[in-house]
Every structure is written in structure tokens, then in C-alpha cells.
Amino acid sequence: MATGRGRALRQYGRGAAPAADVAGPPGAAETGPPRPFTPAAVAAAPRPGRAAGPRNRSKSFAARPGECSETVNAGIKSLYLTPSIKPKPNLCIESMPSEMLMKVFSYLDAVSLLCVGCVNKYFYHLANDNGIWLKIYSSSFQPKRTIWKMKSERTETVSLGCAALHDRRPGYWKKEYIFKQIAAVKTRVMRLVKPVDPYTGLPCKNKEAMKPRRRSLIAEYHLANLTESSVAVGADKLVQLFSLNPGLLVGLWREENEIAFVMASLHYHQLLERSTLGSATVQYALPPNKPVLDDIDPEYGLHDYNLHLDMHGGSCTYLCGTFKSLFCRKGDIENGYLRLTVVSLKDNTKHLPLIGTVGLSWETDVFKGNVKDCYVMDVTLLDETGKPFWCFSAPVYMELSPKASSLYDYMGHIYTTDYADSEGKVCVELVWLEETKEYFIVNLVLYISTKKVNNWYGTNY
């Protein structure tokens, strides 16, 4: 029997309210807003021209209060108003069985397997499987031929693998592979750095040894308040140069006060170890020196120093020399420093000229220039056994001295260059000759900290 429910449902699905003949008797006017559709309203509305009797009451069970729940309304709305969407299956690689993932991982190389282990903990545990890493280890590091016997190669490999898999913890062969690779890299590097320059005491092939290696943290610099925390080196028409220890040179545009370029000047001493044995966040800690005591020499640690000095401006070298047999008497130890005289002001036979016009060259993608009276100083001081004792590389500048030259052979303006750190100081005095347009080094003195000497030699100066 038709009750008008289908018509009401269609009207509600189109956004319209139920008609007047459904909500009330014919001819009744609607005075309020359209009412929301409920099954109770449909069941309680009598059809036109027919009185509601017991038959209608028996069919309109939904019109009774409390018998129509929100669940029925939600079911009707979802049935007529929303389209049916079938749930899609959740397909991802993590839902695969572990056996299948292990099979996939077994085809990866060492680098890819390490990357997969960084995805999540589940992949990390699967990528630590000893079976996979033993296969990689065996293929990378083949045993010597003398170990192999006349038996089948497969039989020996399987027996070795079974013992290694059952007796080792997960990730054992992964660590063994990494340690073996590090040892192999160190061996190749040591072959390159084994030849040593007799003048500098540094490896001859340091550049070749560093090229194919990975990078690690060498030094950290704080560029906040750069003009206050650094030393002004010089300036030209475009840039200003500021130096930060150790060996960092920052160029700022003069008008905009923004960084134009950054130059690093690092000494070669133990640079290979610092650039390869550290990590991206932690610097490599240099091993402490073990002093060798000497009870026979009363001036142990005061003599037989050798100095190798380089002065350059990037593309041009102004001075490159070696000075041997430097010494200091006990009476010359003052204010906690040993005095090593390299070039004496009184001995004019040892005065040294600087070749070329002194200046520090810089270049960007668009501009380039040269800051006058600035250069990079590389100092390598060797002890009596030939080991590097004090090494640094830093940008320095020449400052005009207020005093005039008192030397008869050099009449001109005097310039000074000073450098200092926690281990020592360098003082250079130069004279500018206007006739020949060149600088002459007339005084060069190194001051070594007694604390540095005592820690190195085990003395007590």
C-alpha cells in the first residue's frame, strides 16, 4: 500500500522539504521554515481523504516516540544522499612479509643497504641481517689464495656462513665490513702521505690524499657581530676583509655590509686526519704528544728548531724560505716566551726582500680585486727531531709604524706584521724602499710559549 514515503525521500534528497499534503491535511498553509525529514513524520502523516485508523496506527510504528533512533536516520541519509565508495586496499612495501623484504634487500649494495636502514626501525632490523652482510663482506674482501683448499668453494663458504650466522649477533658483519673499509682507506692514504718533505716535515702528496676522501668538521666560526669579534685585515674600493681564527677570511661589501666571499687558509699539518677521521658534527681530536725526557742536555728544548716560512697572496708567492738551527738561551726567556731570532736587525746579510707587490687577491662571480699590504703567512716550526712543533696559516696585514728607519742601508717607511695565538707570536718588521719599489724584511722573531715547550719536552722552563 502506498504511503507517500518514497515521494518524501526523493524530495528530501533534492534539498526540498516534504510537501504539505504529506506533513498535514490538504489545503493547510506552511507558516514556518521547512521541517527536516524524519521517518516518524512520514509515518504519522495520513493520506488525503483517508482517516487515520487502527490500520494506519499498526503500520506507523516509527511514529511512536522513542522508537526512531539516530542510527536509522544516518542509515537512510547514507543510503540516499552519499555515493557508495569501496575502501581501497592499503598497499605499501611495509605490509610485505619480512621474508620477501629480506629477498629484496639481498640484491642491494652496501651503500643502498645502509640508506634503507635509515627509513625506520623495522627496516633497520631487517637491514642488519648477518646473511646479507656476510655476502657483501665476502664479495668485497676475498680471502687469500693460500687459505683455499682443494674442496669445493661452495662447501667452504656455506660452512663459514652457517657458523657466522648462528654464533654472531645481528649487525656483526655490518660492523666488520665498515671497520674493514675504514682500515683499507687508511692504508691507501698512508701510502700517499708516506713520502715527507725534508724542509717542511709534511707529506709531499697531501693534496692527492685528500681529494677523494669524505669531508668532516674541521673548525666552527660564529659570524654574529662579525665586525666586533674579528680582526680587520684591510680593504679596497669594494670589500672589507675580516680575519677569524683559525685561518678564515671573510670579505664584506663596503656599501651593503653583506658577505661577498669567504676564504679559508688551513695548514697542511694533520689536515688529512682532521678532514677524514672526524664526522660532520664532531671534530677530530688530535692525539696528545708524549714527551721524551732528556736528563743530559741542560738546555733541552731550547735549540735546533727549523722554520719553514711562506708568504703569499693567493696566486703570488712573496717569500718561501727555510731557516735552520734556531735557538734560545735561558736568559732570553721572558714573560713566559722563548725568543727565536730568525732575521736580526743588526745582521744586514740576512735581510730578505719580498718579491712582487704585496697584496691579497680575491675574486667572485662578477668582481675581483686586490687588497694591498695583506698576505697569508704559513709557518711550520719543527723541533730537533724534525716533527712539526708549531704550525699555522693565517691572513695578516702590514701596518705603518710611526718610527722612522734607523738603518743606514734602508731609508724608508717601516711596516710591522704581528700574529699571535695561544701557542706563540710572530713579529715581522719590514722597510719599504721607494727607489726599488719593494719591501725588505729586516727583523723576524718568533716567540714560543713556555707552556707549549714544557708540555712538548717535559721540561720546566
Side-chain angles (χ1 to χ4, degrees):
M1 180 176 63
T3 60
R5 179 177 297 185
R7 180 183 177 187
L9 291 175
R10 288 192 299 271
Q11 291 179 353
Y12 188 83
R14 290 192 297 266
D21 59 336
V22 178
E30 293 184 355
T31 58
R35 295 178 298 172
F37 167 74
T38 58
V42 176
R47 297 188 62 185
R50 181 176 297 180
R55 184 176 181 179
N56 292 336
R57 286 195 298 270
S58 62
K59 296 294 184 180
S60 61
F61 63 91
R64 298 176 183 178
E67 294 186 4
C68 180
S69 61
E70 296 180 359
T71 305
V72 178
N73 294 336
I76 295 176
K77 289 182 180 181
S78 62
L79 180 63
Y80 289 97
L81 300 181
T82 59
S84 60
I85 301 176
K86 296 181 180 181
K88 296 182 179 180
N90 187 14
L91 298 178
C92 62
I93 191 172
E94 295 182 4
S95 61
M96 297 175 60
S98 60
E99 293 79 5
M100 298 181 65
L101 291 176
M102 295 286 290
K103 187 66 176 178
V104 174
F105 291 171
S106 64
Y107 292 100
L108 300 179
D109 57 355
V111 178
S112 302
L113 197 59
L114 290 173
C115 295
V116 167
C118 299
V119 175
N120 51 38
K121 291 183 178 180
Y122 180 57
F123 281 10
Y124 175 79
H125 291 296
L126 293 180
N128 279 352
D129 182 69
N130 280 331
I132 300 177
W133 282 104
L134 180 59
K135 179 182 176 181
I136 297 176
Y137 181 90
S138 302
S139 61
S140 300
F141 306 104
Q142 294 290 342
K144 296 181 180 180
R145 296 183 180 272
T146 56
I147 298 178
W148 294 101
K149 299 180 180 179
M150 297 303 296
K151 299 180 181 180
S152 174
E153 180 179 339
R154 180 176 299 178
T155 304
E156 287 190 359
T157 304
V158 171
S159 62
L160 177 62
C162 291
L165 294 178
H166 291 291
D167 298 341
R168 306 298 183 182
R169 297 179 59 183
Y172 171 81
W173 287 106
K174 172 184 174 181
K175 295 180 181 179
E176 288 294 321
Y177 173 81
I178 295 175
F179 292 154
K180 200 70 175 289
Q181 286 285 4
I182 294 175
V185 170
K186 287 184 178 180
T187 302
R188 292 194 296 266
V189 171
M190 292 307 297
R191 291 176 182 174
L192 292 174
V193 301
K194 191 174 182 180
V196 178
D197 191 342
Y199 296 101
T200 63
L202 303 175
C204 299
K205 299 182 179 180
N206 220 334
K207 295 182 179 180
E208 292 79 358
M210 291 179 56
K211 283 183 179 180
R213 309 304 164 206
R214 64 186 182 90
R215 303 295 185 265
S216 61
L217 180 63
I218 297 178
E220 290 182 300
Y221 304 92
H222 300 282
L223 300 182
N225 300 325
L226 180 62
T227 57
E228 299 177 1
S229 60
S230 60
V231 178
V233 177
D236 59 5
K237 296 181 180 180
L238 296 178
V239 298
Q240 290 180 324
L241 301 184
F242 295 91
S243 174
L244 286 87
N245 196 21
L248 187 71
L249 189 65
V250 181
L252 300 181
W253 297 114
R254 301 193 64 170
E255 296 181 357
E256 301 178 359
N257 201 23
E258 296 181 353
I259 295 179
F261 60 88
V262 176
M263 299 172 60
S265 178
L266 303 175
H267 199 276
Y268 277 132
H269 175 52
Q270 293 184 330
L271 182 60
L272 180 63
E273 292 84 348
R274 290 183 292 166
S275 60
T276 58
L277 300 183
S279 65
T281 56
V282 180
Q283 299 184 32
Y284 170 70
L286 301 177
N289 178 68
K290 296 181 180 180
V292 179
L293 300 180
D294 189 353
D295 298 334
I296 301 176
D297 189 359
E299 295 184 350
Y300 181 57
L302 300 182
H303 53 81
D304 291 333
Y305 286 98
N306 296 327
L307 172 66
H308 186 79
L309 179 63
D310 283 335
M311 295 181 179
H312 59 91
S315 59
C316 182
T317 300
Y318 309 121
L319 176 65
C320 180
T322 301
F323 309 89
K324 297 184 177 181
S325 301
L326 305 179
F327 64 93
C328 174
R329 297 183 178 91
K330 287 186 177 181
D332 295 336
I333 301 177
E334 295 180 357
N335 301 324
Y337 287 96
L338 276 71
R339 177 187 175 95
L340 301 179
T341 302
V342 182
V343 178
S344 176
L345 184 65
K346 300 178 181 180
D347 190 0
N348 56 2
T349 60
K350 294 184 179 180
H351 295 171
L352 303 173
L354 297 185
I355 302 173
T357 303
V358 178
L360 189 61
S361 301
W362 62 271
E363 184 177 358
T364 64
D365 296 336
V366 180
F367 301 99
K368 63 180 179 180
N370 185 276
V371 180
K372 295 183 179 180
D373 299 335
C374 298
Y375 59 93
V376 177
M377 179 186 295
D378 297 337
V379 171
T380 306
L381 185 64
L382 309 179
D383 63 3
E384 61 181 14
T385 62
K387 294 182 180 179
F389 176 75
W390 182 37
C391 304
F392 71 87
S393 177
V396 294
Y397 63 97
M398 296 188 300
E399 185 178 7
L400 180 62
S401 176
K403 65 179 183 178
S405 175
S406 59
L407 299 176
Y408 178 76
D409 297 334
Y410 306 102
M411 300 300 295
H413 297 287
I414 296 179
Y415 292 83
T416 58
T417 297
D418 297 323
Y419 171 84
D421 59 17
S422 60
E423 297 183 351
K425 300 184 296 183
V426 178
C427 297
V428 184
E429 188 173 342
L430 307 98
V431 176
W432 170 254
L433 298 183
E434 188 65 28
E435 297 178 358
T436 58
K437 303 295 183 180
E438 61 182 350
Y439 289 97
F440 266 83
I441 297 179
V442 296
N443 193 18
L444 174 59
V445 181
L446 271 63
Y447 296 91
I448 310 300
S449 172
T450 54
K451 183 178 179 181
K452 169 73 173 177
V453 176
N454 294 333
N455 292 336
W456 189 269
Y457 292 99
T459 55
N460 189 17
Y461 293 115

